[in-house]
Every structure is written in C-alpha cells, then in structure tokens.
Amino acid sequence: MKNIVIAVLVAGLVHAIGWNLTREAIAPPNVVGTLNHVSYAPYRANQNPEKGDRPVPEQVERDLRQLSQMATGIRLYSSTGGQEIIPAMARRHGLNVSVGAWIDKDEARNRREIESAVQLARANRNVRSIIVGNETVLRKEKTQDELAQLIRQVKKRAKVPVSTGETWHVWLANPRLVNAVDFIAVHLLPYWEGVPADRTVEYAFSRYDQLREAYPGKRIVIAEFGWPSRGYNFLGAVPDPLVQAQTLRAFIAEANRRGVDYNIVEAIDQPWKSNEGSVGQYWGLLDAERNAKFSFTGALANHDQVTAKAAVALLLGLAIAAFGLRRRNVTLGHALTYAASANVMAAGLVAAATYPFEHYLNFGGTMMWVIGFGLMIPLTVITVAKIHEVASVLFGERPRRLIEAQAPRIGAGPAPKVSIHIPAYREPADMVIETLNSVAALDYADFECVIVINNTPERDYWKPVEAHCRALGERFKFVNVEKLAGFKAGALNEALRHTDPAAEVIAILDADYAVTKDWLKDLVPWFADPKVALVQAPQDHRDGARSVLNTAMNSEYAGFFDVGMVERNEHNAIIIHGTMLLVRRRALDEAGGWTSDTIVEDAELGLRLFRAGYQAHYTARRYGFGLLPTTYRAFKTQRERWAYGAIQIIKKHWRAMLPAGRQLTARQKSQYVTGWAFWLSDAFGALAAILNLLWVPVIILIEVLVPTVALTLPVLLAFVVNLLHCILLYRARVRISERTILGAAVAVMSLQYTVAKAVLDGLVKDNLPFKRTDKGKTGAKKRTDVVLWETVIGLGLVAAATWLYTFNFSRQQITEMNVFALALAVQSIPFLSAMVMRGLERAEEHAQARGVTLRELVGLYPRWVLGAVARLRPRPALKAIPRLRLPFAFRAGAAKLRQEA
C-alpha cells in the first residue's frame, strides 16, 4: 500500500505540473474606448443563411445593443435576406452602418442587392458607405471592369461613398478598379497568407503602406482585419484564443496610433461558416452565444480553462491509478509506471471529452467525434492494461506461482494413474505415430493412452495408426468413430468413455505433439493438492527453425506462453489449452466434462473449473513440441477460431465477471476481462482504421476539422505502446534476438484483421463450424491469396495517407492533417504485415520449388536480372555473369544459374 500511495501522489504531482506548464498569461496593449467598425452577421448559432434562415428581429435588437457598447459602427455584407431591417435598428442604438451589396454570378440577385443597398442608404442617415461586392474579383465572379461599372451605377444613385472589399494584392493588380471607387476598402488577413502571429501587425501595415505608395492621395480603409481563435494552422499562422486577443489588441492599438480607419472581422462567431475551412466559424470577438472571448484591457490568461481541465484530469487519473493498483502488492517501479500512464491517459480523455465544448460541430463533425471518442475509451483501457503488464514484468516481483522445479511428493503411496487422450481428425499417420512413440517413451509407471480418430473415413490416415497402437501394447487404446458430433470436445468425451476407471488424471495431447519423457513425472505430483484441478505446460514447436515464416510464427506463440501465461498464473487465471494439459478427472466430471457449445472447449473448461473454486498451475518449461500450422492460411484459421471462441466464452460467462459475482476473485476477473479486451482491441483497431480511411475524402473535400486528440493521438500512442510491449517483454522473458522479435511483431500484427473479423462474427453469429488447423502435410495449398482484404485496406490506408500529406503539403501544411496522415500510415502497418507474411510464404514456396533456401533465392535474384539482360547480348557476356561478385549472392545460386544458362 505504501508504494501505491507514493506512486499515485508522485504521478499526480507530475501531472499537475504538466497542466501548469500549459497556463499562459499575456499583456497586450490596452484598447481604450470603442472600436471603429466590426463585421456583423445577424444569425444565431443554429441558423444558416445558405439554407434560407433569416435574422430574428429580437436577436438582432439584442446584438446591436451589445455591439453599441463595443464599436461605433458595423459592416454588413448583404442588403437582402432579412438584413434590410438592420440599418434602422442600428440607428436607434447610435451605430453607423457600412451597407453591403453581395455580388456574384446571379445577376437577378445582384440587381436586388444593389437596389436594396441604395434604398437603405437613402432611408437611413447612419449609413455612411456602400460596399458593392466582397472579394468578387478575388473569387473571379466579376472582372475589375465589370465590377467598376456596377460601382459607378451605384455612385450615381447614392449620396454616400462607394467602394468594394478586396484583398491588398487585388487592389495593386487592378488600378482601374481603384479609379472607380471613392475609397479603397482593403482586406488584410495575414492568417490566410501563413504569417506567424508575432509578425501579423507589422505585416498588415506594411501592405497598407504599400497601397498608400501605389495610390497616393486615395483614402484607404482597412475593411477587414482579424484572427481566428480555433481551427487549423495555415503554414506558420496558428489559431488560438490568446493569440487572437494579442493580435487584435496590438493591431487596434497601432491603427489608433496611426489614425487609420478599420473594421474587425468579425463581431460574432458564425458556426454555419464551415465552408470557409476549419477557421471560418471562429473569427468573432464574441462566441456564438454572444459571450466575449477576451477583454480589451488588462492582462489575459487561460488559467480558468486550464484549471478546470486539470482538476477533472487529476481526479480521473487518480481514479484509474487507484482502481488498477487496488488489492495488489506491487513494487514502487511498477506502481509509478502504471500511475504515470493512468494520468497520461486521463489527460487525453479530458482533452478529447472537452473538444465539443470548444468547437462548433456540424452533423459530420459530431459523428466523427462521437465515433472517435467511443473508440478512444476502449483503446485507452487496453493501452493502460498493456502498460500495466509491461510494468509488472520489468519492475515487478519475480513470479511466485510458476512451476520451476519438480514438486515434492505429499504423502505416501503409488503415483496416480494417468490417461492420455489424443484426438485426431484427418491427421497424417506418420505424425500421429511420432506422437505415440514419444508417449510410449514416458518415464512414468502408470499411464494409458486413448487415441480417438474421428470423422476420418480415409484409411490412409487411421489404418497405420491402428496397427501401431496394436504394436505398442495394451496400454494404447485405438478408437475410430466415423461420425462423431461435437468437434474436438466430442472426441475428448468419447475418450473419457474408454478411459480406465482407475485413472485420476487426464492428460490432453494434440496429435502432432511429441513429449519429453519427464512430462508426467514432473507435473503429476502437483495434483497432491486436492484444490489443484489443472496443470498446464506451454506449447512449442519442433519445426520453428524450418523457415523464416515458421520462425516468426513460433516466436509469436512464445510471447504468449512466456509472458501472458506467466502473468495470468500469478493470479490463478491461466488460459487452458487443449494440449500439454493435465486435468484432475474428478474435477472434470464435476464440471460436466467437455462441452461443445463453444469451439474453444479447453479455455471454456478452465473458466468453469475456476468458477468451481479450483486452482491451476503453470510451468514455462517445454515438455512437448508440436508442429506449426502448415500455411499462413492455417495460422490465420487457428487464430480466427481462438478469437471467435473467446467471444463465445464472453457471451456464456460474462455475468461471472460482474461485481456481484462471487465465484471468481477480483484478480481472476481482472485477468479475464483484460484478456478479452486484448481480443477486442484488434477489432477496435481495424474498425478505427476503416473509419479513418473513409473519412479522408471528407477531410480533403469539405475540410472538416479533425478531432486530433480523439481520432489520431490514441492510434499513435496505442501503436507505440504495442511496439514497446512486444519488444520489452520479449527481451525480458522470451530472450530472442531483435530480428526474431521483429518477426514476432509482424506475425502478431498481421492477424489484426483476422481477429477483428472473428470478433464481429462472434458478436453477430452463433455456432460457426469448428475449423481444424492444418499441420504436417495435410491441407491442400490453395493458390487463391489469403490476404485480399488486408491488401485492399492496407494499400488504401497508404494511398490515403499519401494523398492527405501531399494535398496538405501543397496548401496549408496543417499540423493536424499531417498527424492524421501519420496515423493512417501507422494503421496500415498491421494490414501490410499480413502482406509481408504471405509474401514470405510465397517466396519460400518459390525457393523450395527451385531446390534452394530463401536466402539463396534472394542471392539469385540479381543474377537472374543480369542473366535476362545478357540474353539480349552476345553469348560470351553470359559466361562472365557468374564471375560477378555480389555481396548477397551464394555459390549455390551461381552454380544453379550456370546450369540454367
């Protein structure tokens, strides 16, 4: 408990310091008095003028009353659509108005806009100018001459100055337009030019001075200046609430000092402006609820917002850390690592949860956030669980329950009789015979062996096995049932019916496992404790070094048996496997034998025995060696069965994991729920990848804001944790080379889609058929590719990441987009890993067909290329090819090339 308290306090303190570092305070120039003008769009947060929504007079009245306390005037951009009421209302509040006439390619609307603007100017003496068009030339909807003609028409009818709003470079490039207006209404928006905030004011006035030099004597009004408070960066321009306050106050102070007329864009945030990129909604001095974003005098800080988030994050981090470490006797290093990760995850969850409260989300953005945050929660839980396991292995105590030596005998009398059961379905006879020979050589006095051949009519499979059992003697019982229901569970129950009544322990072997002679001698004594119902030894494989593919698969298995099983054993919660397993017969009978309502009868039996109060023991020592799946397809099929079976177990036993359940201890529940979460993590990972892939066109074409914390950072963090989880634990427990660890990582990642599909099938389908794992020489090698969907999704993610990055690089270089592109690239790795595994298998098949090893095949490739080129040249050139010295070529390869030539 002391270590836990220290760890939680230290992690919380560091967490609080981290939040404190995000606190900022600035002291920009004070703005005394009212502003010149502000742009005003009279719409509520839920209104959209593009959908025909019109201003609500009561809301306009309240807005103008509030704006009259901030500015001397307002700028409008349209004179129709309900905005005709604004100038008269503004007059009652003492506000000047710059009326706008929206100009585009709709000539009928243009005429209505101009007519309304002219009439408003005539009817309201507070209308001080008319702005005909807004960036109309910039949008290429009118030429300078066409727009100049419209301006001259308005000037003839109006008694107030007339201009148009354009950016500085449009004014410089169109002098005839300058001649047509009464004054230059220039838009200076450094954000859209990627100017960093600290250079914005200087840059804006440098462009202002450039216009003064180009058009001396012409009145110039800065008709738009502003800075967004949220959204993507544009090159070096970064939106931020404090940056907005700093920039605007500095600009207004400088404009006042120079005596320059200006208009701030804009008065109020406009959530409907999602068509203006990620920042279009966030230019207001007030938010959409009409709350001021900042004060124009005094120092400014974000302390309140940071403090609120920090408080919630600290409490959440404390809760996660305390919950994960409860009822544990942990070292300080283990507790510190876990508590630190819990606080990091808590900070991320709070940042993601507050995203909708700081941004305006339309339907698409809301769905994106909901899905992202929904996936973030389980990914966070799973990531924390993996960090927990890493901390336990690296910094925790040595395993205490692991069988590391022969158990001392308790009591006197003969050793219990053991009945070894070997189910076999269409297994190669020579492989089964090798297993039987290893059983016959066991150094244990009292055992029998029951082999059950089931659903195998082909005589070539079972006839030699029957003869060999007869030759081995009466201890070996051969049972052949042509039609047997219940898959492997049915075969094991059939074996029980042929078991000697005197047998106290049942041993389970797969048909491909050759055992060492001391298997029973070392492990059966652990049944001297009547509470023990199970003793499990790990799986291993005698063909693990046969090929690169086999080495990768074998290493992937080793990680589970040397890491996961050892950790679960400490809490009496191991996963039972249907080979190298010893079971107390009485406990098996009490539990109802083997059940066939799941396709993982072994793991399901283990959970039933734990619920009955029995204990299990595990040893990491190898007592038997089987054969790996024959093909990568078989490797996937086996994992698909395990994942589907895990979902079946969840559906059958989930109530036992509830707090009210009393059959399992809290630690057993934790281990089972964590193990199930690891299966689900692959499903969540694949789902997140597919959803992110589908979202890329929306981001590019519509420029929807990416909720970075919810959609990208969890993916990247989970990948890093998974990678470290693999590397660190393999180095600590499996003790294999870095190259072999890499192979294991590729193997486990390659199964993500397979597991995800199996999890989905388990959730929506019942009673899928049992699929055997081809081993030895069984199973025809199908030529159809087994990684079709992994290839489609993996290459799709790579293409999407490339598209997003190149699109972003050529435009805004938005940090969030680059992070999202990186997340897509990372999400492609598991799918590409499946392609790598299948590629290795195809390459090894190719090498085997040519009678060389894979390494020799790699050495041959350069010579084959050179040979092909040489065939286009005179024959003497070909003879010189074998004398070339390539660093990766082998003599065997060169000799084979000479034979082919």
Side-chain angles (χ1 to χ4, degrees):
M1 178 60 72
K2 178 182 176 181
N3 289 339
I4 295 175
V5 172
I6 293 174
V8 169
L9 291 177
V10 170
L13 178 61
V14 174
H15 188 184
I17 292 173
W19 278 106
N20 189 63
L21 293 176
T22 66
R23 289 159 57 102
E24 295 182 69
I26 58 174
N30 290 327
V31 176
V32 181
T34 56
L35 309 181
N36 276 186
H37 280 68
V38 292
S39 297
Y40 174 57
Y43 302 105
R44 291 176 172 176
N46 60 349
Q47 287 186 304
N48 185 347
E50 294 180 347
K51 295 182 179 180
D53 292 336
R54 299 173 67 87
V56 178
E58 294 78 11
Q59 182 64 58
V60 174
E61 188 74 31
R62 288 192 294 269
D63 289 345
L64 295 177
R65 184 182 304 115
Q66 185 174 5
L67 294 179
S68 67
Q69 305 301 312
M70 299 172 54
T72 60
I74 59 174
R75 177 186 169 185
L76 305 178
Y77 290 80
S78 173
S79 293
T80 61
Q83 298 198 41
E84 307 91 326
I85 66 174
I86 296 176
M89 298 175 71
R91 184 174 69 249
R92 294 197 296 269
H93 293 283
L95 286 169
N96 295 324
V97 178
S98 178
V99 168
W102 187 263
I103 302 298
D104 53 25
K105 293 182 178 180
D106 185 343
E107 296 301 335
R109 177 184 175 179
N110 292 345
R111 288 191 293 272
R112 291 195 303 271
E113 286 280 346
I114 290 174
E115 183 62 29
S116 180
V118 171
Q119 293 304 321
L120 289 173
R122 290 176 176 176
N124 298 279
R125 63 178 181 274
N126 61 324
V127 174
R128 301 303 174 87
S129 63
I130 299 176
I131 305 296
V132 181
N134 185 67
E135 298 181 354
T136 309
V137 175
L138 178 67
R139 298 196 311 271
K140 298 181 179 179
E141 293 185 331
K142 294 291 183 184
T143 66
Q144 65 167 325
D145 294 326
E146 290 171 339
L147 185 58
Q149 184 178 358
L150 292 177
I151 291 170
R152 293 189 183 99
Q153 292 175 7
V154 175
K155 287 172 66 176
K156 291 178 181 179
R157 302 177 60 193
K159 297 180 180 181
V160 295
V162 181
S163 185
T164 186
E166 291 288 352
T167 57
W168 61 269
H169 67 280
V170 172
W171 286 112
L172 288 174
N174 295 277
R176 294 193 299 276
L177 185 61
V178 175
N179 292 333
V181 300
D182 293 318
F183 63 94
I184 296 174
V186 61
H187 294 176
L188 299 174
L189 300 169
Y191 168 83
W192 289 117
E193 298 182 60
V195 179
D198 57 354
R199 292 180 45 225
T200 294
V201 176
E202 176 188 356
Y203 178 82
F205 281 103
S206 71
R207 295 304 186 187
Y208 174 82
D209 291 337
Q210 189 176 359
L211 283 172
R212 290 182 62 190
E213 293 176 5
Y215 304 112
K218 195 78 173 184
R219 181 183 172 223
I220 301 174
V221 174
I222 299 178
E224 279 191 359
F225 180 90
W227 194 269
S229 59
R230 298 284 181 189
Y232 292 147
N233 68 290
F234 192 98
L235 302 176
V238 180
D240 179 80
L242 284 182
V243 172
Q244 182 191 44
Q246 171 82 43
T247 302
L248 292 181
R249 281 174 54 170
F251 168 81
I252 294 168
E254 180 64 16
N256 289 339
R257 187 186 69 81
R258 288 177 173 235
V260 175
D261 292 330
Y262 63 86
N263 173 74
I264 298 299
V265 61
E266 55 194 323
I268 302 168
D269 280 351
Q270 299 298 306
W272 61 273
K273 288 188 176 180
S274 56
N275 60 340
E276 294 185 8
S278 64
V279 298
Q281 304 161 308
Y282 303 101
W283 292 82
L285 300 173
L286 311 176
D287 64 25
E289 301 302 323
R290 276 55 175 176
N291 300 309
K293 293 184 181 179
F294 59 88
S295 170
F296 282 96
T297 59
L300 301 174
N302 64 351
H303 296 175
D304 291 343
Q305 297 90 332
V306 171
T307 300
K309 290 183 182 179
V312 177
L314 285 168
L315 289 174
L316 183 59
L318 173 64
I320 296 174
F323 180 81
L325 295 172
R326 77 194 191 288
R327 301 177 185 174
R328 287 177 178 266
N329 183 22
V330 295
T331 64
L332 183 59
H334 180 180
L336 275 172
T337 303
Y338 177 76
S341 68
N343 279 271
V344 170
M345 296 303 172
L349 285 171
V350 168
T354 56
Y355 185 89
F357 300 98
E358 298 175 339
H359 297 81
Y360 305 115
L361 300 182
N362 55 20
F363 177 77
T366 300
M367 292 302 300
M368 191 176 186
W369 176 83
V370 168
I371 294 172
F373 190 68
L375 291 175
M376 181 183 181
I377 293 175
L379 282 176
T380 298
V381 172
I382 294 162
T383 301
V384 170
K386 290 189 175 182
I387 294 175
H388 211 332
E389 188 173 45
V390 171
S392 176
V393 172
L394 297 184
F395 308 118
E397 297 178 343
R398 284 179 52 82
R400 295 181 177 181
R401 297 188 73 248
L402 187 65
I403 298 176
E404 296 181 308
Q406 180 178 350
R409 288 189 179 275
I410 301 176
K417 185 178 184 67
V418 178
S419 181
I420 302 171
H421 295 176
I422 305 176
Y425 164 62
R426 301 188 75 249
E427 306 287 3
D430 55 347
M431 182 184 76
V432 179
I433 289 172
E434 184 175 357
T435 297
L436 294 174
N437 288 338
S438 71
V439 171
L442 282 169
D443 183 13
Y444 194 82
D446 195 4
F447 76 88
E448 67 172 5
C449 179
V450 181
I451 180 167
V452 178
I453 306 291
N454 65 95
N455 303 296
T456 307
E458 299 89 347
R459 292 174 61 88
D460 291 344
Y461 284 123
W462 62 264
K463 196 64 178 176
V465 176
E466 180 185 37
H468 196 68
C469 286
R470 192 179 301 113
L472 289 174
E474 61 182 10
R475 292 204 298 186
F476 287 80
K477 301 178 180 179
F478 177 82
V479 180
N480 185 9
V481 184
E482 288 192 4
K483 293 183 179 181
L484 183 65
F487 311 120
K488 185 177 179 180
L492 291 173
N493 283 326
E494 182 68 23
L496 283 173
R497 286 189 279 271
H498 295 270
T499 298
D500 189 325
E504 299 179 42
V505 176
I506 304 298
I508 310 300
L509 273 184
D510 277 349
D512 58 308
Y513 264 76
V515 296
T516 61
K517 65 179 183 178
D518 49 359
W519 174 37
L520 299 182
K521 181 181 68 175
D522 285 357
L523 299 185
V524 169
W526 287 89
F527 287 97
D529 182 353
K531 296 180 180 179
V532 174
L534 301 160
V535 178
Q536 178 76 62
Q539 298 181 27
D540 209 333
H541 306 91
R542 56 185 182 269
D543 57 347
R546 190 186 68 185
S547 66
V548 176
L549 182 70
N550 278 30
T551 300
M553 292 191 296
N554 193 47
S555 301
E556 191 273 333
Y557 288 119
F560 175 77
F561 289 103
D562 288 337
V563 179
M565 286 286 281
V566 173
E567 289 302 300
R568 294 181 70 107
N569 183 59
E570 292 301 296
H571 309 291
N572 190 36
I574 61 174
I575 298 296
I576 304 307
H577 290 78
T579 189
M580 303 306 301
L581 171 65
L582 304 179
V583 187
R584 187 184 297 276
R585 184 177 184 179
R586 177 171 56 83
L588 178 60
D589 291 340
E590 290 175 358
W594 304 94
T595 61
S596 58
D597 55 352
T598 74
I599 58 175
V600 282
E601 69 295 320
D602 39 16
E604 195 275 335
L605 171 67
L607 181 50
R608 276 190 285 135
L609 291 175
F610 286 135
R611 292 183 65 177
Y614 284 104
Q615 293 184 3
H617 285 294
Y618 178 71
T619 177
R621 179 180 171 184
R622 271 56 173 171
Y623 285 97
F625 299 86
L627 294 176
L628 287 161
T630 307
T631 63
Y632 181 58
R633 178 191 291 275
F635 183 56
K636 292 180 64 180
T637 298
Q638 183 187 62
R639 198 57 53 95
E640 180 183 10
R641 184 176 74 246
W642 291 353
Y644 181 82
I647 303 303
Q648 288 181 311
I649 292 176
I650 292 174
K651 292 163 74 172
K652 184 175 180 180
H653 292 279
W654 65 270
R655 290 180 179 84
M657 305 301 156
L658 298 177
R662 294 290 182 264
Q663 295 175 311
L664 299 173
T665 67
R667 293 188 180 184
Q668 285 176 319
K669 293 178 183 178
S670 174
Q671 289 299 314
Y672 269 97
V673 171
T674 300
W676 294 342
F678 286 173
W679 288 117
L680 295 173
S681 68
D682 280 331
F684 287 127
L687 177 61
I690 294 171
L691 290 175
N692 281 352
L693 177 60
L694 297 176
W695 199 253
V696 170
V698 179
I699 293 173
I700 291 178
L701 301 178
I702 306 179
E703 297 190 34
V704 173
L705 193 66
V706 178
T708 306
V709 176
L711 286 183
T712 59
L713 295 185
V715 171
L716 298 175
L717 182 60
F719 176 77
V720 171
V721 169
N722 286 339
L723 192 62
L724 291 176
H725 180 269
C726 180
I727 294 173
L728 295 176
L729 296 191
Y730 269 78
R731 291 186 59 138
R733 288 277 174 84
V734 186
R735 301 184 186 280
I736 55 179
S737 68
E738 285 76 7
R739 180 180 299 178
T740 310
I741 292 175
L742 176 61
V746 171
V748 70
M749 286 190 296
S750 75
L751 296 168
Q752 184 189 71
Y753 177 79
T754 299
V755 172
K757 184 178 181 302
V759 168
L760 178 62
D761 287 341
L763 293 174
V764 301
K765 299 178 182 179
D766 292 322
N767 302 319
L768 288 183
F770 183 96
K771 296 180 181 179
R772 69 182 297 276
T773 303
D774 291 336
K775 296 181 180 181
K777 297 179 181 179
T778 64
K781 295 184 178 180
K782 301 178 181 179
R783 300 307 300 174
T784 56
D785 208 323
V786 297
V787 292
L788 173 62
W789 284 110
E790 290 95 327
T791 301
V792 171
I793 298 172
L795 294 182
L797 287 165
V798 170
T802 304
W803 182 24
L804 190 62
Y805 178 79
T806 53
F807 170 82
N808 186 35
F809 183 80
S810 64
R811 297 187 67 195
Q812 295 181 235
Q813 299 181 25
I814 298 168
T815 302
E816 289 86 349
M817 277 196 181
N818 285 339
V819 173
F820 193 69
L822 177 61
L824 291 170
V826 166
Q827 288 178 306
S828 73
I829 294 175
F831 300 96
L832 299 180
S833 296
M835 295 173 59
V836 171
M837 292 289 285
R838 178 57 176 154
L840 280 174
E841 182 177 46
R842 295 292 296 271
E844 287 174 340
E845 290 172 357
H846 189 41
Q848 185 178 9
R850 303 189 70 86
V852 297
T853 66
L854 179 60
R855 195 175 183 185
E856 291 170 338
L857 182 71
V858 173
L860 281 172
Y861 274 129
R863 296 180 182 273
W864 287 337
V865 174
L866 292 173
V869 174
R871 289 187 181 97
L872 303 177
R873 303 174 62 185
R875 293 290 297 177
L878 181 60
K879 296 179 180 179
I881 292 174
R883 292 196 294 271
L884 295 174
R885 292 294 181 260
L886 297 175
F888 38 68
F890 293 83
R891 292 184 179 181
K896 191 168 187 66
L897 179 63
R898 280 193 287 269
Q899 294 173 3
E900 293 175 350

